[in-house]
Amino acid sequence: MNASPAIIQLKDVKKSYKLGETDVPALKGINIELKRGEFTAVVGASGSGKSTLLNIVGCIDDPDSGSVLVDGVEVTKLDDDSKSALRNRKIGFIFQSFNLVPVLNVYENVELPLLINPDIPRSEHQDRVSQALKDVAIDHLAKNLPDQLSGGQRQRVAIARALAGSPALVLADEPTANLDSVNSHRIIDLMLELNAKRGVTFLFSTHDEKLMARVSRHIQIADGLIKA
Ligand code: ADP
Ligand code: MG
């Protein structure tokens, strides 16, 4: 659809939160370009603006000013419905706290975003969910409920859920923050493998300098600004 290799382009993006009478600046003028197929880590201390940045890239939150292009579309000009439609079609999310639905089993959790993606016919759901569960090596757990799984397994479900719709971009906000170091490395390995073998474009955030060493491209963020 769009010839530009950039999947994400941010220009001078600013965002503050209102806390009572005061404005808390979270992003102070961010410029970023991500190309298709890249695996990029956003690294910064707690409070540096990582979640705000990922939420804006993922069309969950709006900036106060600046330009946000997702796959060539200026999302700051879209109304809420168009923004959700773009989000459902193009973006997969992985969160620190997994955000699985406790009353749905693994299969049903992974199918959930397909149900709101009009591009994906119902007849494809089973194949897509099965393939995504195989890709993260938990296809044998399809019938389990989330509370019957370990943290590492839950994050695999969340990764499968993010991948099932073949999104153009997967955003992972501190996906390893609730995991021990062995499982953190396994999850990074898995994301790197999905990037290398399936060409999934990842933008993931971490405050863990040890994990940063695993990723070839880093963006360092401090106090709402990218460090050169
Ligand atoms: P990180 O994910 O790197 O920890 P955040 O993007 O969550 O950073 O936060 C950046 C800054 O914005 C911090 O100073 C934080 O306290 C503030 N902030 C984030 N969310 C809110 C909110 N909903 N209301 C007020 N301040 C917020
Ligand atoms: Mg955060």
XYZ file of all heavy atoms in Angstrom, residues 17-19 24-26 44-53 173-174, ligand 1:
151
model
N 1.128 15.048 31.118
C -0.051 14.620 31.873
C -0.401 15.706 32.871
O 0.486 16.347 33.429
C 0.245 13.322 32.625
C 0.499 12.141 31.737
C 1.809 11.719 31.491
C -0.551 11.444 31.158
C 2.046 10.619 30.678
C -0.315 10.347 30.337
C 0.991 9.939 30.103
O 1.240 8.858 29.307
N -1.683 15.894 33.104
C -2.133 16.839 34.127
C -2.198 16.117 35.459
O -2.823 15.079 35.583
C -3.533 17.360 33.775
C -3.551 18.518 32.820
C -4.340 19.686 33.421
C -4.303 20.954 32.582
N -3.031 21.286 31.988
N -1.529 16.686 36.447
C -1.595 16.113 37.788
C -2.038 17.255 38.694
O -1.232 18.094 39.082
C -0.218 15.575 38.176
C -0.177 14.436 39.187
C -0.887 13.195 38.648
C 1.270 14.088 39.531
N 2.818 17.407 34.059
C 3.998 16.545 34.149
C 4.435 16.211 32.731
O 3.728 15.497 32.017
C 3.676 15.221 34.890
C 4.917 14.353 35.021
C 3.062 15.496 36.241
N 5.561 16.761 32.267
C 5.981 16.440 30.901
C 6.502 15.001 30.837
O 7.343 14.606 31.637
C 7.104 17.446 30.627
C 7.584 17.896 31.960
C 6.516 17.633 32.972
N 5.958 14.207 29.902
C 6.396 12.808 29.752
C 7.262 12.651 28.496
O 8.253 11.935 28.513
C 5.194 11.885 29.682
N 15.332 2.800 28.997
C 15.342 3.969 29.863
C 14.855 3.611 31.251
O 14.144 2.616 31.437
N 15.209 4.442 32.219
C 14.822 4.214 33.611
C 13.307 4.333 33.757
O 12.624 4.852 32.871
C 15.516 5.248 34.499
N 12.804 3.869 34.871
C 11.396 4.019 35.188
C 11.033 5.507 35.194
O 11.776 6.323 35.735
C 11.144 3.388 36.558
O 9.833 3.644 36.951
N 9.936 5.868 34.546
C 9.512 7.264 34.493
C 10.114 8.056 33.343
O 9.817 9.239 33.176
N 10.932 7.418 32.499
C 11.604 8.156 31.423
C 10.682 8.441 30.233
O 11.013 9.270 29.388
C 12.842 7.387 30.955
O 12.492 6.092 30.516
N 9.541 7.727 30.158
C 8.584 7.995 29.077
C 8.364 6.827 28.123
O 7.692 6.996 27.102
N 8.880 5.647 28.466
C 8.767 4.497 27.557
C 7.317 4.117 27.267
O 6.940 3.943 26.109
C 9.507 3.271 28.152
C 10.972 3.493 28.443
C 11.629 2.224 28.983
C 11.084 1.737 30.313
N 11.285 2.674 31.444
N 6.516 3.976 28.323
C 5.121 3.553 28.106
C 4.344 4.612 27.344
O 3.547 4.284 26.450
C 4.426 3.268 29.447
O 5.019 2.164 30.069
N 4.578 5.867 27.676
C 3.901 6.951 26.957
C 4.231 6.873 25.473
O 3.347 6.964 24.612
C 4.326 8.321 27.532
O 4.079 8.319 28.948
C 3.573 9.452 26.881
N 5.509 6.659 25.173
C 5.946 6.556 23.779
C 5.277 5.380 23.074
O 4.727 5.532 21.974
C 7.479 6.410 23.750
C 8.113 6.148 22.399
C 7.848 7.309 21.448
C 9.617 5.937 22.540
N 5.765 -3.598 25.753
C 6.151 -2.644 26.805
C 6.653 -3.396 28.032
O 5.861 -3.961 28.781
C 4.960 -1.751 27.152
C 5.372 -0.563 28.021
O 6.589 -0.337 28.190
O 4.474 0.124 28.531
N 7.943 -3.412 28.235
C 8.607 -4.128 29.329
C 8.069 -5.557 29.481
O 7.627 -5.958 30.554
C 8.460 -3.355 30.638
C 9.013 -1.938 30.518
C 9.726 -1.468 31.768
O 10.453 -2.274 32.376
O 9.556 -0.293 32.113
P 8.128 4.640 31.868
O 7.214 3.733 31.121
O 9.461 4.823 31.231
O 8.246 4.238 33.298
P 5.973 6.593 31.647
O 5.745 6.858 30.202
O 5.023 5.654 32.317
O 7.490 6.117 31.852
O 5.933 7.964 32.441
C 6.619 9.128 32.019
C 6.281 10.271 32.976
O 4.912 10.589 32.901
C 6.572 9.957 34.443
O 6.997 11.145 35.067
C 5.213 9.527 34.957
O 5.118 9.774 36.341
C 4.282 10.408 34.163
N 2.971 9.770 33.942
C 2.739 8.647 33.225
N 1.427 8.358 33.186
C 0.803 9.334 33.901
C -0.566 9.618 34.230
N -1.555 8.831 33.801
N -0.806 10.718 34.981
C 0.187 11.527 35.412
N 1.488 11.329 35.126
C 1.798 10.252 34.377
